[in-house]
C-alpha cells in the first residue's frame, strides 16, 4: 500500500491556483497534475491537511517548476519565483521529511 503524506490545505489552495494558471496557457502537464490532485484530495477539502501520495507531490513539484520557467512576463520576476518555486520546494520538503519505510 502506498503511504500518504499530509499536506496543509493552505499550500494546496495556492498550488491549485498556480495549476489553473497553467490551464490558461494550455499546458497539458498542468491539467494532468490538477486532475490528479483533485482525485486524491476528494473528500478532504474541509480538513486542515490532505493526504497525498509522494508520487503526486513529485509530479506537482515538477509541474510548478516548469510553469515558473515558462510563466514569462505574466508575473513580476520576483513574484513568479516566489510563488512557483516556493510552493514547489514546500511540496518536495514533505516528501523529503517522510520517514523511511513502507
Amino acid at each position: 500500500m502506498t503511504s500518504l503524506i499530509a499536506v496543509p490545505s493552505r499550500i494546496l489552495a495556492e498550488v491549485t491556483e498556480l495549476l489553473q494558471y497553467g490551464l490558461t496557457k494550455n499546458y497539458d502537464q498542468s491539467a494532468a497534475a490538477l486532475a490528479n490532485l483533485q482525485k486524491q484530495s476528494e473528500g478532504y477539502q474541509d480538513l486542515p491537511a490532505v493526504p497525498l501520495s509522494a508520487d503526486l507531490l513529485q509530479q506537482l513539484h515538477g509541474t510548478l517548476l516548469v510553469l515558473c520557467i515558462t510563466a514569462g512576463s505574466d508575473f513580476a520576476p520576483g513574484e513568479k519565483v516566489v510563488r512557483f518555486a516556493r510552493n514547489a520546494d514546500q511540496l518536495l520538503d514533505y516528501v523529503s521529511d517522510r520517514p523511511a519505510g513502507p
Side-chain angles (χ1 to χ4, degrees):
M1 179 175 191
T2 302
S3 61
L4 300 175
I5 302 165
V7 179
S9 296
R10 63 179 169 69
I11 292 173
L12 295 178
E14 186 164 7
V15 167
T16 298
E17 181 183 322
L18 296 172
L19 292 173
Q20 289 171 338
Y21 162 79
L23 294 178
T24 68
K25 298 298 180 185
N26 297 318
Y27 182 56
D28 292 340
Q29 284 182 310
S30 189
L34 185 58
N36 289 337
L37 176 58
Q38 290 170 337
K39 181 179 177 184
Q40 283 193 30
S41 63
E42 187 174 333
Y44 296 99
Q45 292 84 356
D46 296 330
L47 298 177
V50 176
L52 300 174
S53 69
D55 288 342
L56 176 58
L57 294 176
Q58 291 171 336
Q59 178 188 17
L60 294 170
H61 174 261
T63 302
L64 290 176
L65 290 179
V66 171
L67 284 172
C68 180
I69 293 166
T70 60
S73 61
D74 290 345
F75 295 88
E79 177 190 11
K80 178 175 74 169
V81 171
V82 167
R83 290 189 70 199
F84 287 95
R86 180 193 65 216
N87 281 289
D89 288 347
Q90 285 178 336
L91 292 174
L92 197 58
D93 285 345
Y94 285 99
V95 175
S96 302
D97 292 343
R98 180 178 65 163

